[in-house]
Structures are given as structure tokens and as C-alpha cells.
Amino acid sequence: MNSSQQSDPQRGFPAPLPWLTRAGAAPHVPGSPPEIISNLRAVLAEIARDGTIDRPFTWPDAGTSISLRKAVHALGTCGLVKREGRPTRLSLTDEASYFLDSGDELYLVALFHAHIRFFGEALAALGEGLTHNELNEVAAEVYGLKWDSLDQVRRRVYWLRAAGLVDYWTNGKIVPAERGLRFLERLELVDPDQLPHHHSGQIPELPAPPALLAAELAGVDQDALRSRKRSLGYVAGGTRVEALARLVNAAVPAIKRSDFRAFCSGEFGVLESSAEQTLGTLRSLGLLTQVGTDTFAATELAKSCLASDEALDFVRLLHLNVALLGESLDALADEAHTATLLRVLAERYPDVHLTREDVTRRIALLLETGLAERIGLTVRRTELGASLVNTLPLLDRVTSGLPENADQGIPRGSSAAEPRAVADAGQRSFGSVATEVVQAATDSADYQRFERAVAAAFDALGVDVEMHSGPKKTDVVIELWQSPTDRQRVTVEAKTDGAGLVTDQDVKFWRLGEHRERHMAQSTLLVGPQFDARVTQEAAREKVALITARELADAVVRHSRTPLSPREIAAMVTAGEDAESLALTWRAAERRQQALSLVLHTLWKSGNDPVDIRYTTGVLGISDIWRETKGALETPLDSSEIEEALTFLGTPLIAGVERQGGNHVVTAPPSLAAARLRALAAVIESTGLDGPPGRPSGEGPPTPPGRSSPESPENPSVPRQQDSDAGVTPSLIRAWAKAQGHAVNERGRLPQDLIKKYKQVRGHG
């Protein structure tokens, strides 16, 4: 060990963060234990040189470039990198700069220990030696970290091996080295008996809310709970109780707009435009109110929360103004991933459309206030959270069809009820498919279960699916419709692993190439629970796309809310495609939905506000709508987004908005607009199932879960393969032949060998 690698005793180790605020995931850097620290230094040096977030970066010896954003994302929250400014740039923390200059490996591990759960604790737990499985059991049973696979334990062991703190023996034991034992003496370790997952069985005593807030909570009704805003909105300093309290306190007794901007810039280092967004958010959250031409003050409810100095009172107040905040806490009675919580909320409250980002921000607030806790990759409420949720007024759940107190805009017995029930059933079916994909990925005793789950997932994504399976055969072939003469074929290999990690011993890449050629496919996709670094590197060299079961499940849930076309889905299953481009496409589609909802509800609110009706007859211009909605989203809508939403809402099919000169007025309640869209969807789907005139029904679009379709006897969620000649028509064969470069006549009988080849490729007969 050279002198540059020795710890500087004068520097001291970073103080560990509170357990609940530490990250659950350890950083991932490609390479073996002898390589990962030098690879980490390489990416840190690149950030120090140029922090442009989307420029290309190549790991040493990797050969392929990725974006710096992706490389840093794999590091997680470990205290090394900061994101600053707009557009976002990366920079090193002081601790990262010290490590880069000194090469102090012990300081690096101590920094990880300070920011990540079960780092120093893993080293201490080894005793005289444990296997990865045994160490994973300690993480679950003693520290409440119930991981789906051994990946997180392996990551920690890799870093400990890289720093020379443990040895890995040929019998599979991880054993502390002498250096590791000395290092332990300098660490501050958490006491597992004091961790939140050790439930005492006693119900915590809640502080009583201030009288004014208690009266407000007692008086809230279902209409008020339904009218809460969906988005938390942007807040300088983050949506944290501490930041909210500082901002509210600045407005006591009152504050001018210019002074508020200056306060936000000075306290949180944000731009004036961000301070203006913060002002709009605080008003929409019921924390600030306008008291003069350009003057604002804390509301009485917000001042009562300040006076009580209880974080829970801010949560109670936010619950009155933020949709499904307390309801999210209610849904966390059991451990759940973010995607699972999103699905549960959608099933319980189908009229409130939250995005994954919305749910993530609610979870962050619940974690910060100790109402919820992270257990590995999942979240559950604490005893304190359970006590609080029992005192909050909650929105009634929808159990089937329409709720008993449904929106009055949809009359009982109207045609809207049936489409909504179908939509709800579809949501539940998509959620079941997503859950099965994740669970089947680690069921190595039944590998065909995972193959069926993967096939069902791609069917839910709206692409054509062929099941094959069997020895030396590919598992699934999917076909993505690009245009009438262009379909992209992808062979899909589904790999299970009981420990949750697919290694290079599990994959024969040369055989994947054979499968691709046999099925005349353009690309190959490998699906598994997780992949080790060698599989990732080999897949990049062989142009094989990788997707984890969790990513595929999340895509199914997201697609159920915001469907993408097969052409857009192609980015997810094709090697070399930028995954970020798919994420941008999805975010853009979700934002159009948000814009549509915000614009319509804003016009509806104005059309039912006595003051607005008196002075403007409920008519709003684009600038009026922008002003009313700017606090609802982190990035306010621009005029073109508002105009696009108004144009769509004004079409005869929706007839929800009418233009009056340069302004607009609402002509139908949001619930009726939604009912018309659901009814339109039902008509399109029912027509599509029968197929267009002159075409056999088998040629209709793929049937997503939730609609009637032939089902496999082995697994009802997976469609059966088509009968020998079902869906085989001259028009399809001609389109396929042209896409493959075969000469074919537009009319007349098709050659038998061409028909035979088409059937073989498509899995018919």
C-alpha cells in the first residue's frame, strides 16, 4: 500500500447521516474489485474537468460510450456528486475532491458508510466470515433491508474488497482483513435495536393539531378532498418541512414580491423565476395568501403550524391541499415499491391521475418526516405514520365501477359507467401483469413462468407476440409495427435467477445470434432480474439490448396510463438506442395529459366561481390560464401547450371548450369530457376487435389485458399462439415480403414457398 492510499488522521471521517436519510442502494461502477476504484476516479476526474451532464463518457476498458448522466446515475446518492444550476451541470462535493486528490480509499468507504445504509455495518456483521447469502440474511433480519436479490450485498462487498478491508475465500466466505478490523474501530455504527423497523407494538402518542387546523380537518368533506391539487409544485429548497417553515416564516407578518424573490435567492441560491414559481406553489398549498397589490402573507393555518413547531402539522395542512397525500400513507400499510404504490392508488382512486414523479415526491415527504421508512428498495409506513393516518380524513376508495358519491357530472345509469368500469379492470390487469413479471424473474424452479410473464408484458405494451420456448429455441419473438411495410422483429430471451442476478455463465451470446438469424429478426433483447457487469459489457459488444424485469414491469404500468406507439417502444428493446429518448417521449406524452387536465379544470373552476362569472363571465384567455396554472407544475405550461390543449378540447368529439373571440369558456364538466373520451375508446376498441371491413378478425391489433381474448390454459394472462392459418392473409404476407426485400406481385396467387416461409417465421404451423 503506497502512502497516497493511507488515511489522513487529521482529516477525520465524514459524520454518518441519520439512518432514515441514508440511501439504500450502493454505487455501481463496472469492473472487478481491483478495477472499480480506479474506474470511479476516472469518472470523477471527468466531472471535475467538465460537468456537462449529457456529454459522452467511456469507462476505462469498456469500449462503448454512455452519457455522463447515466454513469453518475449508477453512483446513486453516495456523497460524491452534486447537480447544480439550469441547465443542470455536475460538480464534485468537497469530499469527492479530497478523495480524488488524496487517493484515500478508507476515506472513500467511510464516505459511503456516512451516506448509505449497511456499509460499515456489513463489515461489522461478518464476524469470522459469512457468505453473500448469509450477509443478505443479516441485512434483512437485523437491519430490515429486504432486498429482492444479492446485488446490493455484492456491491458492498466489492467496495470492501477493493479497499482491502475484506478477503474473499474460495469457499464463498467473505472474511474481514486486519486492515478492516482496524478501520471498524474508527467508524460510528448504528444500533440496530434503535432502527424504525423494530416495532415496539406501542402506538405512538401524536401531538394534537392546533385548534384552527383541527377544526379544518374535522370540517373537510369528500368534495373538498376530490378538489385537491395533484402536483406538489416546485419549492425552493425542496418540498421539505424545514424549507416550507422557513418560507412561511419569511411571510410573517407580510412580504413584498420583490423581497420574497430576494429571500429565496439568498437562502436557497435559486433564480428569480424559481422564486416566482415557489410563490405560486405556496399559495396553491394554502401556506401563503395575497393581502395587497404585490404583498403576501402566511395564512392563519400556516402560522398555527409555525407556532406549534410540529412537522406533522405541516403534513396535516398539506394533506388538505395535496391530492392523495394521506391516502398514500394509508396505502403503505405493507412494504411497496413506487410502481406498486402508483398502481394501488390508481385502483383505489381512478379519478385522480398521479404520475410516478408525483408519487415519488409524496414518498420523499413521508420519509423526511418519519412517517414512512425505506426497507431495501421498498417503502412502508412507520408506527407514527399508522397513528397519523388514522386521524386524517381520507378520500373514499372506489371498489367497483363508479363510487357511490361519484362526480355529479356523470348521471347514474349513464353510458359513462360501463367504459369506466372497463378502464378500471384494464388498470388492474396491467398491474397484475407487471407484478407477475417481477415475481417470476426469480422463480428459477419454473423458467417457463417467466417466459409467459414476459410475453404477457409485451402483449400489454401493444406489440405482436409469438411464443416459442424449448431447448435451443428463443423464448419469445415480438414484432413492432413501424409502418404498413415495415415491422421490426426482436428475439427475446428471458433469464431467471433465484438470487436475482444473471451472470455471464447464464448467457450464451453466440446462441442469441443464431436465434436472431433463424427468426429473421433485426435485434435481440435479454430480460432478467438484474445483470452483472460482465453481461452488460458483453451485451454492448454483441449489440444485445438489456432490460430488467423491474424496468419491464414499470413500462407496463406506465404504458397503461400513457400508451406509446410500437415505434416509440422500439427504443426500449433495441441495443444502441438511447433509453433517455424513450423517457423524454414518455414525459412529453404525460405532460400533454397534464396540460389537458389542468386547462380543463382551470376553465371549469372559473366557470363556477361567482367572482369570475361576475367580472369575466367565466371566460379566460391563454395568459389567464397560464397565470392560474403556473404553480401546479414544476415547469409551468407555455402558451403553445395551453393552445394545443384548448384546440383538442374544442373538437366536436369532446366539445368541452368554446372559443369566444381570443378567449375560451368551458362548455362541459371535466367528468363529461372524460366520459366522452372513454366512450370513444370503447367504440374504437370494439370495432378494432372485429377488424376492418373485408379483413378477417384475426388481423386486428393486439389485445391488451382487460379485453376478452383467447387465453392460454397454463396462464390466463398470456394469449395462446394463433391457430395454423389464423391471421394469415395475402395482404399481411405481401407487406412482410416487401419489408424483407422479396419481389412480390400486387395481385394474383402468392407462391406457396413464400407463404410457407412467412408461416415459419411467424410461428404458424
Side-chain angles (χ1 to χ4, degrees), residues 681-699:
V683 171
I684 292 173
E685 288 177 341
S686 63
T687 304
L689 287 173
D690 293 332
R695 176 194 255 182
S697 61
E699 288 187 49

Side-chain angles (χ1 to χ4, degrees), residues 124-141:
L126 291 174
E128 296 183 358
L130 295 175
T131 65
H132 286 98
N133 275 310
E134 291 168 340
L135 190 57
N136 194 50
E137 289 174 4
V138 173
E141 296 172 6

Side-chain angles (χ1 to χ4, degrees), residues 105-279:
E105 296 170 350
L106 295 186
Y107 185 85
L108 175 68
V109 177
L111 180 63
F112 288 166
H113 170 69
H115 287 265
I116 300 164
R117 298 180 193 176
F118 198 60
F119 226 98
E121 290 78 12
L123 178 59
L126 291 174
E128 296 183 358
L130 295 175
T131 65
H132 286 98
N133 275 310
E134 291 168 340
L135 190 57
N136 194 50
E137 289 174 4
V138 173
E141 296 172 6
V142 181
Y143 293 90
L145 301 172
K146 298 179 182 178
W147 290 310
D148 294 337
S149 72
L150 296 179
D151 178 57
Q152 287 300 326
V153 165
R154 286 194 174 108
R155 289 192 194 185
R156 286 159 172 80
V157 170
Y158 258 45
W159 288 110
L160 296 175
R161 288 173 63 186
L165 300 176
V166 301
D167 297 318
Y168 183 68
W169 290 5
T170 55
N171 63 359
K173 295 277 188 180
I174 305 113
V175 181
E178 184 62 34
R179 188 185 193 205
L181 296 175
R182 293 197 304 270
F183 175 69
L184 267 178
E185 296 174 356
R186 300 180 58 189
L187 287 187
E188 179 185 336
L189 302 177
V190 72
D191 180 357
D193 291 334
Q194 302 301 315
L195 295 180
H197 71 279
H198 284 286
H199 292 286
S200 63
Q202 298 178 349
I203 300 176
E205 184 177 347
L206 289 175
L212 190 61
L213 181 57
E216 196 75 17
L217 288 165
V220 70
D221 57 17
Q222 289 295 308
D223 287 337
L225 292 172
R226 277 196 297 273
S227 67
R228 292 173 296 177
K229 68 189 297 291
R230 179 194 59 77
S231 174
L232 274 165
Y234 172 80
V235 176
T239 313
R240 299 177 295 111
V241 169
E242 178 197 0
L244 293 172
R246 289 165 65 186
L247 290 163
V248 168
N249 190 58
V252 177
I255 191 169
K256 291 189 176 296
R257 186 188 300 269
S258 58
D259 293 335
F260 182 83
R261 288 174 175 171
F263 176 80
C264 288
S265 299
E267 290 291 313
F268 303 106
V270 300
L271 300 175
E272 285 198 356
S273 58
S274 298
E276 190 65 36
Q277 287 185 50
T278 299
L279 182 59

Side-chain angles (χ1 to χ4, degrees), residues 30-32 34-35 38-39 42 57-64 537-538 541:
S32 62
E35 299 168 336
S38 61
N39 287 348
F57 168 74
T58 303
W59 292 107
D61 302 324
T64 56
Q537 293 169 3
E538 186 71 12
R541 282 193 291 268

Side-chain angles (χ1 to χ4, degrees), residues 723-738:
D723 295 335
S724 178
D725 289 327
V728 179
T729 64
S731 60
L732 274 184
I733 296 174
R734 284 191 171 91
W736 170 82
K738 290 178 181 178

